[in-house]
Amino acid sequence: MSVEQHRREVEALLGPAFAGRGSERVTIADALDRVLATDLHAPSPLPGFRSSQMDGYAVRSADVSGATEGSPVLLPVVAEIPAGPGVPAPLAARTAARIMTGAVVPEGSDAVVPVEDTDAARFGGRTPGATRGTLGDQVGVLAPRGAGEFVRDVGSDVRAGDLVLPAGTLLGPQHLAAAASCGVAELDVVVRVRVAVVSTGTEVVEPGQVAVPGQVYDANLTGLSAAARRAGAVVTLAERTGDDPAELSAVLARAAQEADLILTSGGVSQGAYEVVKDTLGDGVTFRPVAMQPGGPQGFGTVHGTPVLTFPGNPVSAQVSFVVFARDVLERAAGRPRRDPETRRTVEVIVSPPGKRQMLRGRTGPDGRVTVVGGAGSHLVATMAAADVLIEVPEGVGRVAAGEQVRVVRL
């Protein structure tokens, strides 16, 4: 079976199951890496009051229009305005108010003179012998300031009703900060697909335990669960089973109740102990796909829930997820579309012409890609060193150095 045909059939299975996910409301604390389901408009202007952009002195610009270092304008300091709640008294002509960044600018003032443009000895308080610039003293203004300088007007960042975040935004820290600044505590986000991950095989052991000869540490439960979460899904079950069909059947029954999609690893090849094949004989199609690594594949349903069965070799499992599951999960989550990319190769690549080769690759500073490690599906460390998969299509046995190839970002 070709890669494209298998992918089309997988998407035909998953598309209807993932359609119409709807939205849910979450707090902004829980919205990181979620996708915004509806436009967010500012409920009120930001800033909501005239505020100072600098630590300095609120003044009337007309009073300091002639100020210079050689001929400073001396103004009595009649108030101190810290950042915080409250409305200060109006500022009279020919006076100044010491003001902090973010504080309310008093009525009557139309400019702020930064402390650097005054003769105040130390803005945060008096120093020995200093008498200027504090409440009850005078401050010397050394430079003119025009109306509006260093004053944040109401709505200068966002006006009430302005679009702050459009639907479809993948919410990062900067987006959540913008929502919080507007006073928004909750956001409507796309409902995530629920994924169950089941790793099979008596030979796999949990990381941290002692592995005896014949056992390998289980990379698939961790790797596939992380891949599903990165694709915008939520992992509702992650379990490891041996090669007992009854044990696997029980886990799959629970997974079907808790998830919208089940991913399994292992037990799908041509060996004598293929527990996934033995357990899912009805309702799941198993086939070889013309891809290396990741040839043995299966798809179908178990207890009415879609299931994709991947090979047990860790690289094969990760490649299978990228090729057959990632795009459809990201679309269901509302994630931005990944456009195909092409890059030039560093070296000659030789590939079996009957299969689509998915080689681990690393991008260099010049944008060209080089193959990392060999084609073996057990070479986990080289997968960690890669940032792309280099795709060599079926029917292509050799790629020349410098030739363009399609790559899939990891």
mmCIF file of all heavy atoms in Angstrom, residues 201-223:
data_model
loop_
_atom_site.group_PDB
_atom_site.id
_atom_site.type_symbol
_atom_site.label_atom_id
_atom_site.label_comp_id
_atom_site.label_asym_id
_atom_site.label_seq_id
_atom_site.Cartn_x
_atom_site.Cartn_y
_atom_site.Cartn_z
ATOM 1 N N GLY A 201 4.217 -5.259 24.657
ATOM 2 C CA GLY A 201 5.410 -6.093 24.558
ATOM 3 C C GLY A 201 5.975 -6.468 25.912
ATOM 4 O O GLY A 201 6.197 -5.598 26.758
ATOM 5 N N THR A 202 6.217 -7.763 26.128
ATOM 6 C CA THR A 202 6.826 -8.195 27.379
ATOM 7 C C THR A 202 8.279 -7.765 27.485
ATOM 8 O O THR A 202 8.851 -7.781 28.573
ATOM 9 C CB THR A 202 6.752 -9.726 27.505
ATOM 10 O OG1 THR A 202 7.384 -10.311 26.349
ATOM 11 C CG2 THR A 202 5.311 -10.207 27.575
ATOM 12 N N GLU A 203 8.852 -7.374 26.342
ATOM 13 C CA GLU A 203 10.264 -6.989 26.347
ATOM 14 C C GLU A 203 10.488 -5.552 26.793
ATOM 15 O O GLU A 203 11.621 -5.148 27.036
ATOM 16 C CB GLU A 203 10.873 -7.189 24.953
ATOM 17 C CG GLU A 203 10.466 -6.173 23.897
ATOM 18 C CD GLU A 203 9.118 -6.453 23.254
ATOM 19 O OE1 GLU A 203 8.382 -7.322 23.784
ATOM 20 O OE2 GLU A 203 8.803 -5.812 22.245
ATOM 21 N N VAL A 204 9.425 -4.734 26.893
ATOM 22 C CA VAL A 204 9.607 -3.335 27.267
ATOM 23 C C VAL A 204 9.434 -3.170 28.766
ATOM 24 O O VAL A 204 8.592 -3.828 29.391
ATOM 25 C CB VAL A 204 8.641 -2.398 26.503
ATOM 26 C CG1 VAL A 204 8.932 -2.424 25.015
ATOM 27 C CG2 VAL A 204 7.197 -2.747 26.780
ATOM 28 N N VAL A 205 10.255 -2.301 29.342
ATOM 29 C CA VAL A 205 10.226 -2.067 30.767
ATOM 30 C C VAL A 205 10.205 -0.568 31.017
ATOM 31 O O VAL A 205 10.738 0.209 30.210
ATOM 32 C CB VAL A 205 11.441 -2.724 31.461
ATOM 33 C CG1 VAL A 205 12.747 -2.136 30.961
ATOM 34 C CG2 VAL A 205 11.354 -2.600 32.975
ATOM 35 N N GLU A 206 9.584 -0.167 32.092
ATOM 36 C CA GLU A 206 9.450 1.252 32.404
ATOM 37 C C GLU A 206 10.816 1.879 32.699
ATOM 38 O O GLU A 206 11.616 1.286 33.437
ATOM 39 C CB GLU A 206 8.534 1.440 33.614
ATOM 40 C CG GLU A 206 8.281 2.893 33.975
ATOM 41 C CD GLU A 206 7.321 3.036 35.135
ATOM 42 O OE1 GLU A 206 6.782 2.006 35.595
ATOM 43 O OE2 GLU A 206 7.112 4.174 35.585
ATOM 44 N N PRO A 207 11.101 3.048 32.139
ATOM 45 C CA PRO A 207 12.357 3.732 32.467
ATOM 46 C C PRO A 207 12.487 3.931 33.968
ATOM 47 O O PRO A 207 11.522 4.275 34.654
ATOM 48 C CB PRO A 207 12.232 5.066 31.725
ATOM 49 C CG PRO A 207 11.295 4.788 30.601
ATOM 50 C CD PRO A 207 10.319 3.784 31.135
ATOM 51 N N GLY A 208 13.687 3.706 34.487
ATOM 52 C CA GLY A 208 13.928 3.802 35.913
ATOM 53 C C GLY A 208 13.986 2.460 36.599
ATOM 54 O O GLY A 208 14.566 2.332 37.680
ATOM 55 N N GLN A 209 13.379 1.433 35.972
ATOM 56 C CA GLN A 209 13.482 0.089 36.504
ATOM 57 C C GLN A 209 14.761 -0.582 35.981
ATOM 58 O O GLN A 209 15.431 -0.066 35.093
ATOM 59 C CB GLN A 209 12.250 -0.741 36.124
ATOM 60 C CG GLN A 209 10.944 -0.216 36.735
ATOM 61 C CD GLN A 209 9.754 -1.095 36.384
ATOM 62 O OE1 GLN A 209 9.843 -1.970 35.523
ATOM 63 N NE2 GLN A 209 8.632 -0.858 37.044
ATOM 64 N N VAL A 210 15.064 -1.740 36.519
ATOM 65 C CA VAL A 210 16.234 -2.494 36.078
ATOM 66 C C VAL A 210 15.837 -3.336 34.873
ATOM 67 O O VAL A 210 14.869 -4.107 34.928
ATOM 68 C CB VAL A 210 16.771 -3.391 37.203
ATOM 69 C CG1 VAL A 210 17.936 -4.238 36.690
ATOM 70 C CG2 VAL A 210 17.212 -2.539 38.392
ATOM 71 N N ALA A 211 16.562 -3.187 33.774
ATOM 72 C CA ALA A 211 16.314 -3.961 32.565
ATOM 73 C C ALA A 211 17.293 -5.130 32.509
ATOM 74 O O ALA A 211 18.507 -4.934 32.599
ATOM 75 C CB ALA A 211 16.467 -3.093 31.324
ATOM 76 N N VAL A 212 16.768 -6.328 32.382
ATOM 77 C CA VAL A 212 17.602 -7.523 32.268
ATOM 78 C C VAL A 212 17.826 -7.804 30.792
ATOM 79 O O VAL A 212 17.145 -7.237 29.929
ATOM 80 C CB VAL A 212 16.920 -8.717 32.965
ATOM 81 C CG1 VAL A 212 16.673 -8.404 34.435
ATOM 82 C CG2 VAL A 212 15.614 -9.084 32.273
ATOM 83 N N PRO A 213 18.792 -8.683 30.463
ATOM 84 C CA PRO A 213 18.987 -9.031 29.048
ATOM 85 C C PRO A 213 17.683 -9.493 28.409
ATOM 86 O O PRO A 213 16.934 -10.289 28.985
ATOM 87 C CB PRO A 213 20.024 -10.160 29.122
ATOM 88 C CG PRO A 213 20.811 -9.867 30.355
ATOM 89 C CD PRO A 213 19.798 -9.315 31.332
ATOM 90 N N GLY A 214 17.402 -8.943 27.241
ATOM 91 C CA GLY A 214 16.147 -9.233 26.556
ATOM 92 C C GLY A 214 15.092 -8.173 26.756
ATOM 93 O O GLY A 214 14.046 -8.206 26.100
ATOM 94 N N GLN A 215 15.329 -7.231 27.652
ATOM 95 C CA GLN A 215 14.384 -6.144 27.884
ATOM 96 C C GLN A 215 14.963 -4.827 27.391
ATOM 97 O O GLN A 215 16.180 -4.619 27.424
ATOM 98 C CB GLN A 215 14.051 -6.021 29.369
ATOM 99 C CG GLN A 215 13.187 -7.143 29.918
ATOM 100 C CD GLN A 215 12.832 -6.920 31.364
ATOM 101 O OE1 GLN A 215 13.648 -6.481 32.167
ATOM 102 N NE2 GLN A 215 11.578 -7.209 31.720
ATOM 103 N N VAL A 216 14.086 -3.954 26.950
ATOM 104 C CA VAL A 216 14.480 -2.610 26.519
ATOM 105 C C VAL A 216 13.586 -1.614 27.224
ATOM 106 O O VAL A 216 12.448 -1.918 27.596
ATOM 107 C CB VAL A 216 14.354 -2.435 24.993
ATOM 108 C CG1 VAL A 216 15.312 -3.352 24.248
ATOM 109 C CG2 VAL A 216 12.917 -2.687 24.528
ATOM 110 N N TYR A 217 14.115 -0.426 27.438
ATOM 111 C CA TYR A 217 13.304 0.620 28.058
ATOM 112 C C TYR A 217 12.263 1.122 27.069
ATOM 113 O O TYR A 217 12.541 1.309 25.878
ATOM 114 C CB TYR A 217 14.188 1.761 28.542
ATOM 115 C CG TYR A 217 15.041 1.387 29.728
ATOM 116 C CD1 TYR A 217 16.427 1.355 29.637
ATOM 117 C CD2 TYR A 217 14.454 1.049 30.940
ATOM 118 C CE1 TYR A 217 17.210 0.991 30.722
ATOM 119 C CE2 TYR A 217 15.213 0.686 32.035
ATOM 120 C CZ TYR A 217 16.589 0.652 31.919
ATOM 121 O OH TYR A 217 17.354 0.292 32.998
ATOM 122 N N ASP A 218 11.076 1.329 27.572
ATOM 123 C CA ASP A 218 9.942 1.720 26.733
ATOM 124 C C ASP A 218 10.022 3.197 26.378
ATOM 125 O O ASP A 218 9.801 4.060 27.227
ATOM 126 C CB ASP A 218 8.637 1.422 27.473
ATOM 127 C CG ASP A 218 7.406 1.708 26.624
ATOM 128 O OD1 ASP A 218 7.574 2.018 25.429
ATOM 129 O OD2 ASP A 218 6.287 1.611 27.156
ATOM 130 N N ALA A 219 10.345 3.482 25.124
ATOM 131 C CA ALA A 219 10.371 4.864 24.636
ATOM 132 C C ALA A 219 9.033 5.289 24.050
ATOM 133 O O ALA A 219 8.751 6.483 23.944
ATOM 134 C CB ALA A 219 11.465 5.030 23.578
ATOM 135 N N ASN A 220 8.190 4.321 23.673
ATOM 136 C CA ASN A 220 6.988 4.662 22.920
ATOM 137 C C ASN A 220 5.883 5.280 23.759
ATOM 138 O O ASN A 220 5.168 6.174 23.295
ATOM 139 C CB ASN A 220 6.452 3.419 22.206
ATOM 140 C CG ASN A 220 7.338 2.994 21.061
ATOM 141 O OD1 ASN A 220 8.056 3.821 20.501
ATOM 142 N ND2 ASN A 220 7.322 1.718 20.727
ATOM 143 N N LEU A 221 5.738 4.811 24.999
ATOM 144 C CA LEU A 221 4.685 5.394 25.835
ATOM 145 C C LEU A 221 4.976 6.873 26.072
ATOM 146 O O LEU A 221 4.081 7.721 25.976
ATOM 147 C CB LEU A 221 4.594 4.645 27.163
ATOM 148 C CG LEU A 221 3.294 4.850 27.953
ATOM 149 C CD1 LEU A 221 2.109 4.308 27.178
ATOM 150 C CD2 LEU A 221 3.387 4.174 29.318
ATOM 151 N N THR A 222 6.222 7.176 26.344
ATOM 152 C CA THR A 222 6.618 8.575 26.551
ATOM 153 C C THR A 222 6.575 9.354 25.246
ATOM 154 O O THR A 222 6.015 10.458 25.184
ATOM 155 C CB THR A 222 8.039 8.633 27.141
ATOM 156 O OG1 THR A 222 8.036 8.006 28.423
ATOM 157 C CG2 THR A 222 8.500 10.079 27.282
ATOM 158 N N GLY A 223 7.165 8.793 24.188
ATOM 159 C CA GLY A 223 7.280 9.520 22.923
ATOM 160 C C GLY A 223 5.949 9.791 22.261
ATOM 161 O O GLY A 223 5.675 10.917 21.816
#
